[in-house]
Amino acid sequence: MHFNNPSRTARAAAVALAVTIPCVTLATPVHAADRKPAQAVRVHDRLVDIPLKGGTATVDTTTLRVSARTARGTVELSAPAANAPGTPGAVTTTADGVRWTYGDTGLTVTARADRGRLLVSVRSTGTADRTLKWPVTGTGSTASALQLPRGEGLSIPVADAFWNGPDAGLAGSDIAMDSQLSLPLWGYSAGGVGVSYLVPTDIGTTLKVTSEQGRLRTTAVHAFSRAEDTTEYTVALSLTDGSPVAPAADYRAWLREHGQLGSLKRKIQAVPANEKLLGAFHAYTWGGARTAEGVRKLRALGVDRMWLGYDADDQPMTPDAVKAAKEAGYLVGPYDSFANGQDPQKSDAPTSVWPDKVYPDFCVERADGSPEPGFHDRGCYLSTEAFEKAEPTRHYLADRTRKMTANGADSYFLDVDAAGELFRDHSAAHPMTKAQDRANRLARMKRLADGDKLVLGSESAGAWSNQVLAYDHGSGTPVHDGLWKAQRDKEKWGGYTPAKAPGVFFKPAELPAPVAKAMYDPTYRVPLYETALHDSLVNAERWELSYDKLPRQKTDRALLAMLYNTPLNFVIGGDSLEKQGSELAALQKYFSPLHRAAGTEAMTDFRTLTGDRTVQRTVFGDGTLTVTANFGTKAYDGLPGGCVDAKLKGDKEPRRLCPSDVNR
């Protein structure tokens, strides 16, 4: 296993399809039910009026400024482009919208109404690479909160001093939409209305966040490049009800409309073992916890569902241990990675050793012909195109998977593949663009899930992978860059010894205050990922941030997990199970019936119930499950601070959990 390298992650790109605006409390975009024929587009001077659900958008072709007239007044969807798009030519009417060209820059724009959205597409027809800095958002005086899908999701008051300051690490940052956001979107709330921005063309698009006069603003920057195959740029803009999760609801609707929304129910039908994810907590095992005896001890505690994973080292789970796990009702599978290659004589990881001349022949090549250095500069990153070209005859990936599951494992965790770190490969033998890289990853993950019938997971899954994965570890965590610095402090965080219980996993640690605030302050957290994808795949936190790793955040993390109906992640060893077993069992016993009932249901509502946002409520399906969490210190309507109430349809009384009562 390895940690994401922040510098590499910052360069990566990997999520597709979504741009959003401000929203309020319901997870339903204003336009969702709109299926009426579009009204006529009106062209006057250099302005174009296009009907939206909830109003009429006006696009200024000279500057690309976009505003919307609504029943509540005028809402600014975008300020003028931050760099001049060029001199606009005449506007011509198309079958469903309008088109114009900036002749001096080679950009052609089409704009039309699409299911209640304003869909703007920009195509570069020139030979030179160029950028467009648009839309420019959050500039209106009424903008109140920015929604950002970092991990599970954040809704940040635009004038919040912490988020505008240096400790938050947000203002002044450039966020690659294809790799650093879990969903390709952002949004704003603005006093009872909102705007959602979806970017289907996330590869080549960066979201720049700035603080201007103490308020957060955002600008999308798209790089047009023929070589990178990013000459098309599309943004879908929608008026919403202002809910903090409305951008995600808009994106969910987009995915459904385009046949790109996965279904956990269908995945269970195709691979019945996927059903064992429902009600299961997740844990990586070490030492005695990997043995048949260790598995039976866990089951004897009353834990009826678990996903058990193990590192790709010299002591994998044996066939007897895997059999015991299956008999207990658990899923079990190895960690693997297809991403790294090293010299077999010097490799420091079994997953980096490949046969023949995979290393170095399959290395991704940079523009200067040098290999793309691997994680922490170990070996190289391997080209997905090289593997795809070789697989029909050499079966390197199929042989690896067969070897890794020879013990009977029914699950698989494929590190990095869905995390979005995409590469341009300049090799003459296996050239590829980032878009081809993504397509290759999807193809090989689909083979593991559909062909090998494995319960497939990956790291920090971008939404583009939602149809092929059954679970992920990482998209539940809104990572602050300070986390990587904290993890490098081996004295405080722990290292990779002892072998049966490495400190990096087992040693309790404390996050720096700004990092903890940015990642786990519940008043900023909103379930964007779950609103979009709860019924598509099971989402958990990063695997190295086990529930016991951060003692100060345990109560809030437990409440968030129950509120979002997502599993907690653990790391267990032979000795640690004796200490933490009762706590794990108590939490899982509470979670299991809730997730079994609602794990395949959509999150249909999210709202905050108090002005300070410490009391929050979610609903799944048609009232299948309703959860209320109190992150505060004062009781709310009989619910004590630090506790959660969950009510399944048919329950006469809510089921209550106060994590501090079971936390060690």
Side-chain angles (χ1 to χ4, degrees):
M1 307 177 194
H2 67 247
F3 303 118
N4 263 346
N5 183 324
S7 61
R8 303 194 69 73
T9 302
R11 289 186 292 142
V15 180
L17 297 147
V19 184
T20 10
I21 357 190
C23 350
V24 208
T25 41
L26 290 177
T28 306
V30 175
H31 68 265
D34 179 57
R35 294 295 181 270
K36 298 178 182 178
Q39 304 169 27
V41 173
R42 176 172 173 256
V43 180
H44 50 110
D45 297 325
R46 293 293 181 180
L47 306 179
V48 180
D49 292 343
I50 299 177
L52 291 177
K53 182 64 177 179
T56 300
T58 298
V59 182
D60 185 336
T61 63
T62 303
T63 64
L64 284 181
R65 179 179 184 267
V66 185
S67 60
R69 298 188 302 279
T70 76
R72 290 176 175 266
T74 299
V75 178
E76 184 167 86
L77 308 189
S78 174
N83 61 333
T87 303
V91 178
T92 60
T93 302
T94 65
D96 57 356
V98 293
R99 176 186 293 112
W100 67 93
T101 297
Y102 298 102
D104 50 343
T105 61
L107 298 180
T108 297
V109 180
T110 59
R112 61 184 176 89
D114 178 72
R115 298 177 186 259
R117 304 180 186 91
L118 169 63
L119 194 69
V120 179
S121 294
V122 185
R123 178 179 176 82
S124 175
T125 57
T127 57
D129 291 350
R130 66 178 65 255
T131 61
L132 177 63
K133 300 177 180 180
W134 178 90
V136 179
T137 60
T139 58
S141 61
T142 60
S144 59
L146 164 66
Q147 286 85 45
L148 201 62
R150 177 190 281 183
E152 180 58 66
L154 301 168
S155 184
I156 304 167
V158 296
D160 187 282
F162 169 73
W163 288 98
N164 278 272
D167 287 345
L170 180 62
S173 65
D174 295 306
I175 304 171
M177 292 201 69
D178 61 353
S179 61
Q180 292 179 285
L181 296 179
S182 57
L183 309 173
L185 60 86
W186 75 97
Y188 277 91
S189 298
V193 296
V195 188
S196 120
Y197 305 88
L198 312 180
V199 184
T201 51
D202 58 321
I203 296 175
T205 305
T206 301
L207 188 66
K208 185 175 184 62
V209 184
T210 58
S211 175
E212 299 182 31
Q213 297 181 328
R215 294 170 61 84
L216 294 173
R217 294 183 177 183
T218 47
T219 300
V221 181
H222 185 79
F224 295 95
S225 169
R226 288 187 177 281
E228 297 286 352
D229 194 22
T230 57
T231 57
E232 297 276 357
Y233 176 43
T234 297
V235 182
L237 303 87
S238 300
L239 290 170
T240 73
D241 59 9
S243 162
V245 295
D250 188 16
Y251 180 54
R252 176 182 174 83
W254 174 285
L255 289 175
R256 186 190 294 113
E257 293 158 9
H258 291 80
Q260 296 169 343
L261 181 63
S263 164
L264 190 53
K265 287 181 180 177
R266 291 197 299 269
K267 293 169 188 175
I268 290 171
Q269 292 172 353
V271 181
N274 280 319
E275 194 271 338
K276 291 192 285 185
L277 285 169
L278 300 179
F281 278 175
H282 294 222
Y284 276 95
T285 57
W286 300 80
R290 291 186 183 180
T291 65
E293 180 184 5
V295 170
R296 286 190 282 267
K297 283 183 179 180
L298 186 60
R299 186 64 186 88
L301 290 170
V303 178
D304 65 353
R305 287 283 174 94
M306 285 294 293
W307 178 92
L308 299 178
Y310 53 92
D311 203 359
D313 55 21
D314 57 355
Q315 292 185 325
M317 292 187 80
T318 65
D320 285 345
V322 171
K323 180 181 178 183
K326 289 182 174 180
E327 290 174 347
Y330 302 166
L331 287 165
V332 60
Y335 160 95
D336 196 6
S337 175
F338 297 163
N340 188 253
Q342 298 181 39
D343 182 342
Q345 303 302 317
K346 303 175 182 178
S347 175
D348 58 8
T351 57
S352 298
V353 176
W354 296 88
D356 303 331
K357 294 182 66 179
V358 166
Y359 179 85
D361 288 1
F362 284 20
C363 290
V364 170
E365 285 190 17
R366 298 188 291 194
D368 63 3
S370 63
E372 183 71 41
F375 180 73
H376 283 333
D377 293 327
R378 297 152 54 247
C380 72
Y381 275 102
L382 298 175
S383 170
T384 61
E385 182 69 10
F387 273 123
E388 287 300 295
K389 293 179 72 172
E391 197 63 15
T393 57
R394 301 311 304 263
H395 315 308
Y396 293 119
L397 302 182
D399 289 348
R400 166 70 74 84
T401 303
R402 190 177 303 110
K403 178 181 178 182
M404 296 287 279
T405 58
N407 59 358
D410 53 1
S411 182
Y412 215 77
F413 181 82
L414 188 60
D415 195 29
V416 176
D417 256 36
E421 191 170 17
L422 305 175
F423 295 100
R424 165 89 183 280
D425 190 349
H426 293 81
S427 166
H430 38 80
M432 70 177 180
T433 63
K434 289 182 177 180
Q436 289 171 316
D437 191 9
R438 177 182 284 177
N440 292 338
R441 292 164 189 259
L442 283 170
R444 69 191 192 186
M445 287 191 286
K446 185 175 177 61
R447 289 197 296 268
L448 289 171
D450 296 348
D452 296 328
K453 303 297 182 184
L454 291 167
V455 178
L456 182 64
S458 189
E459 175 191 1
S460 301
W464 55 270
S465 63
N466 86 89
Q467 291 181 284
V468 297
L469 296 181
Y471 68 94
D472 89 89
H473 294 162
S475 289
T477 308
V479 171
H480 181 288
D481 280 349
L483 174 65
W484 315 126
K485 182 178 179 181
Q487 290 177 346
R488 289 194 292 270
D489 187 338
K490 301 306 181 186
E491 182 177 343
K492 293 181 179 179
W493 195 267
Y496 283 88
T497 58
K500 292 186 177 181
V504 68
F505 302 114
F506 287 90
K507 182 179 180 178
E510 184 173 340
L511 292 172
V515 178
K517 183 180 181 72
M519 291 177 61
Y520 290 114
D521 187 330
T523 64
Y524 299 122
R525 296 284 296 266
V526 291
L528 296 177
Y529 199 87
E530 300 315 311
T531 295
L533 299 172
H534 182 266
D535 58 342
S536 178
L537 74 164
V538 175
N539 181 31
E541 285 216 61
R542 293 186 60 82
W543 51 264
E544 84 274 16
L545 294 179
S546 69
Y547 182 60
D548 290 298
K549 183 67 181 178
L550 305 173
R552 285 182 177 270
Q553 281 73 44
K554 289 181 76 169
T555 293
D556 283 347
R557 293 176 79 190
L559 295 182
L560 285 166
M562 303 309 157
L563 182 68
Y564 297 167
N565 198 230
T566 55
L568 289 169
N569 232 337
F570 287 80
V571 59
I572 55 178
D575 295 335
S576 70
L577 190 58
E578 303 295 332
K579 301 175 183 177
Q580 73 184 136
S582 61
E583 176 188 35
L584 187 161
L587 293 169
Q588 194 272 337
K589 183 178 181 180
Y590 181 83
F591 174 77
S592 185
L594 307 179
H595 196 238
R596 288 185 189 225
T600 58
E601 299 288 335
M603 180 183 280
T604 50
D605 192 23
F606 166 79
R607 61 187 62 206
T608 55
L609 304 180
T610 57
D612 63 3
R613 295 174 289 177
T614 59
V615 183
Q616 303 175 17
R617 177 170 292 163
T618 54
V619 179
F620 299 86
D622 185 18
T624 300
L625 173 66
T626 301
V627 185
T628 305
N630 186 348
F631 296 95
T633 57
K634 298 179 180 179
Y636 173 85
D637 197 20
L639 176 63
C643 298
V644 60
D645 274 351
K647 197 169 185 179
L648 290 171
K649 185 180 290 187
D651 282 353
K652 293 183 178 180
E653 297 293 332
R655 308 167 186 223
R656 178 164 295 174
L657 172 70
C658 298
S660 61
D661 291 344
V662 296
N663 286 349
R664 293 180 290 112

